[in-house]
Amino acid sequence: MAKKILVTGGTGLVGNMLTKKLQDQGYEVSIMTRSPEKVKNLKAFYWDIKKQEIDEKCLDGVETIIHLAGENIADGRWTDERKKALVSSRTESIGLIYDLMKRKEHQVKTVLSASAVGIYGDRGEEILDETSKPGTGFLAHCCEEWEKAVEQGTDLGLRVAKFRIGLLLTPKGGVLDIFKLMVKTFTASKLGSGEQWFPWIHSDDLIGMFLWAVENEDAKGVYNATAPNPVRNKEFTKTLSDVLHRPFWPFAIPKAMFKLLMGEKSELVLMSTHTKADKIIKAGYTFKFLSLKTALEDLTR
């Protein structure tokens, strides 16, 4: 019988790719959603995080939960109300499932969760591994609260693994579309100083990491979900320009402009995070894409 996996955030960018891949691999996949009736080709269960309502049948037969739920960090301005929603959508969602597990018999053994390299904050040239302390700023706070909420699963005897995702590169949607638009409209240049480190990862490798962790019972704790070779912002944009055969201009878009237009959210593009991927490599995961150029060529074909 196929293993049952429950995915939160299954209708999002990563969730869509992951659920399809899991189904292709023979897993029985279900998702959580406020509108189960709208979901096609996938079993869906109702929940409403704000109302703290959940269909208790969602755990029946499930061995692994993959937690991807959370409002899009890039949407809207970071008002106080918006920041509260960004945190609560990540923490209260997994909390709702853990509360259900405390009062209902279940077979869940493993919880795998997304997190983000934003937990490190803006760290300049510092090389960051999973033992590095959290940084400052809203992104760091959000990710730290997210991970703390997920980690509560260990008190329930679960195997818990969290993936600190870097700049996720996908064939459609996501941040790469924004950079491609810049390049194709001949406005490709450095963002701010251009020296900030971008810890990127190809979507195939992120999905591969989750699949690896589903089967690998030794996968637990925190992993940097970033390619082993991070690049600086200027190198990232220059490489994409080369791949798309468009010019890269030597001028820079000033930091002040981003801060004026985006406010506190400007840290999404200006922060520098130089991560290492040694831990997951030593644990046995083999990257498909090590070179940014190769990754971008694959994603822009």
Side-chain angles (χ1 to χ4, degrees):
M1 179 178 286
K3 286 186 179 179
K4 290 187 177 182
I5 297 179
L6 176 66
V7 181
T8 75
T11 58
L13 180 64
V14 176
N16 267 314
M17 293 186 291
L18 181 56
T19 53
K20 289 175 183 176
K21 190 67 174 179
L22 286 167
Q23 287 180 312
D24 289 345
Q25 296 290 319
Y27 293 100
E28 185 177 335
V29 184
S30 56
I31 65 170
M32 305 301 303
T33 174
R34 284 182 296 178
S35 305
E37 70 281 358
K38 296 180 180 179
V39 177
K40 309 297 181 184
N41 304 317
L42 202 63
K43 185 179 290 185
F45 294 96
Y46 167 80
W47 74 347
D48 189 308
I49 298 163
K50 291 181 180 178
K51 294 180 181 179
Q52 289 290 286
E53 297 175 346
I54 188 168
D55 184 342
E56 295 193 2
K57 295 179 182 178
C58 68
L59 293 182
D60 291 352
V62 170
E63 294 184 24
T64 299
I65 295 171
I66 300 179
H67 178 48
L68 306 174
E71 295 191 18
N72 191 337
I73 204 90
D75 285 350
R77 293 188 71 86
W78 284 356
T79 61
D80 288 345
E81 183 178 356
R82 179 62 181 162
K83 287 194 283 189
K84 288 179 182 178
L86 290 170
V87 175
S88 64
S89 63
R90 289 160 169 77
T91 59
E92 293 180 11
S93 50
I94 192 63
L96 186 58
I97 288 179
Y98 285 163
D99 287 343
L100 175 59
M101 291 172 65
K102 290 174 184 176
R103 65 177 188 268
K104 175 184 170 69
E105 287 190 12
H106 63 85
Q107 298 175 339
V108 181
K109 299 176 182 177
T110 300
V111 170
L112 309 177
S113 177
S115 180
V117 295
I119 196 168
Y120 300 117
D122 185 4
R123 301 290 273 270
E125 296 299 306
E126 183 180 355
I127 297 177
L128 303 160
D129 64 19
E130 292 82 356
T131 65
S132 300
K133 293 181 179 179
T136 58
F138 172 68
L139 279 179
H141 167 72
C142 180
C143 294
E144 191 171 10
E145 292 302 306
W146 190 2
E147 291 191 10
K148 285 179 181 177
V150 173
E151 191 63 21
Q152 296 301 309
T154 59
D155 294 336
L156 300 175
L158 304 174
R159 173 173 69 94
V160 176
K162 295 159 288 188
F163 294 97
R164 292 174 177 169
I165 304 170
L167 187 73
L168 179 61
L169 307 180
T170 57
K172 293 181 180 179
V175 69
L176 186 56
D177 276 358
I178 298 171
F179 280 96
K180 285 194 294 186
L181 180 62
M182 288 175 56
V183 171
K184 290 179 178 179
T185 55
F186 298 92
T187 57
S189 61
K190 297 185 293 185
L191 306 183
S193 69
E195 296 298 317
Q196 63 270 36
W197 287 97
F198 271 19
W200 61 275
I201 184 169
H202 190 295
S203 55
D204 282 1
D205 275 317
L206 179 62
I207 300 307
M209 287 179 182
F210 277 106
L211 291 170
W212 167 80
V214 166
E215 292 295 339
N216 181 4
E217 294 185 0
D218 292 326
K220 61 183 68 174
V222 181
Y223 297 94
N224 284 338
T226 59
N229 301 304
V231 298
R232 297 185 190 273
N233 160 253
K234 62 182 180 183
E235 182 183 347
F236 179 89
T237 312
K238 175 69 166 60
T239 304
L240 181 59
S241 299
D242 291 343
V243 168
L244 295 178
H245 307 292
R246 296 289 197 280
F248 173 77
W249 306 104
F251 58 80
I253 303 174
K255 286 184 180 181
M257 184 178 294
F258 286 104
K259 291 180 178 179
L260 178 65
L261 295 174
M262 302 174 67
E264 189 178 1
K265 195 170 73 173
S266 62
E267 64 179 281
L268 284 171
V269 294
L270 297 176
M271 68 189 304
S272 179
T273 316
H274 191 178
T275 57
K276 293 177 65 177
D278 293 8
K279 181 179 177 182
I280 198 163
I281 293 172
K282 290 177 181 176
Y285 180 75
T286 301
F287 278 87
K288 184 177 179 181
F289 292 93
L290 297 171
S291 158
L292 175 64
K293 184 173 185 290
T294 304
L296 291 175
E297 287 173 340
D298 177 74
L299 292 164
T300 58
R301 277 188 292 198

